[in-house]
Each structure stands twice: as structure tokens, then as C-alpha cells.
């Protein structure tokens, strides 16, 4: 029984409880930041880029070709 009492005394000290609360708050804050970046910041930054590329959806974006059919880099024999 002595070991259980000592463990309870250790857990009830402020440091361990503060650390546990900090871990929970950190996990919640991480989820909030991830959601904000995914649903607010990325669309705000991506919308002008898609508009500049004359695209409606990011799935239509392809590396190495444009909407006009021209490829990049342009061939040197033309």
C-alpha cells in the first residue's frame, strides 16, 4: 500500500497535473490550427492562384502543360 500512496502523492503534485492539462490543451490547439489552415487560410491563398491559372478546381492543375495545350519548357526547334 505504501507504493500506491506514494504514487498518488506524486500525481497530485502540481507539476504532473499541469503537464497533463498542457498536453490536453496542446492537442486541442493543434486540431484548431490544422482546421483553420485547411479550411480558411489555404482556400484564401489558393483561390487567386487558381483564378490566375484560369482553373476552377485544383484537380485540373497539371505540371508541364497549360490550358492552351502548350508545353513547358517550349521546344527550341520551333
Amino acid at each position: 500500500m505504501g507504493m500506491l500512496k506514494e504514487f498518488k502523492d506524486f500525481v497530485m503534485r502540481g507539476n504532473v497535473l499541469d503537464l497533463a492539462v498542457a498536453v490536453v490543451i496542446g492537442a486541442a490547439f493543434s486540431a484548431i490550427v490544422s482546421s483553420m489552415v485547411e479550411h480558411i487560410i489555404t482556400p484564401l491563398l489558393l483561390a487567386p492562384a487558381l483564378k490566375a491559372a484560369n482553373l476552377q478546381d485544383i484537380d485540373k492543375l497539371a505540371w508541364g502543360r497549360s490550358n492552351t495545350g502548350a508545353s513547358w519548357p517550349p521546344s527550341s526547334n520551333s
Side-chain angles (χ1 to χ4, degrees):
M1 277 301 207
M3 190 165 112
L4 186 61
K5 184 181 181 308
E6 290 175 12
F7 180 72
K8 183 178 178 185
D9 291 341
F10 172 74
V11 169
M12 295 309 286
R13 276 194 230 156
N15 295 345
V16 175
L17 290 177
D18 291 345
L19 180 61
V21 169
V23 167
V24 170
I25 290 173
F29 188 71
S30 173
I32 291 170
V33 170
S34 296
S35 178
M36 188 173 84
V37 167
E38 182 180 344
H39 294 106
I40 296 173
I41 295 175
T42 300
L44 285 175
L45 295 176
L46 193 58
L50 288 175
K51 186 175 181 182
N54 294 325
L55 295 172
Q56 301 299 322
D57 191 11
I58 195 167
D59 292 333
K60 296 178 183 174
L61 189 62
W63 179 258
R65 65 178 181 180
S66 68
N67 289 343
T68 62
S71 63
W72 184 260
S75 61
S76 60
N77 58 1
S78 54

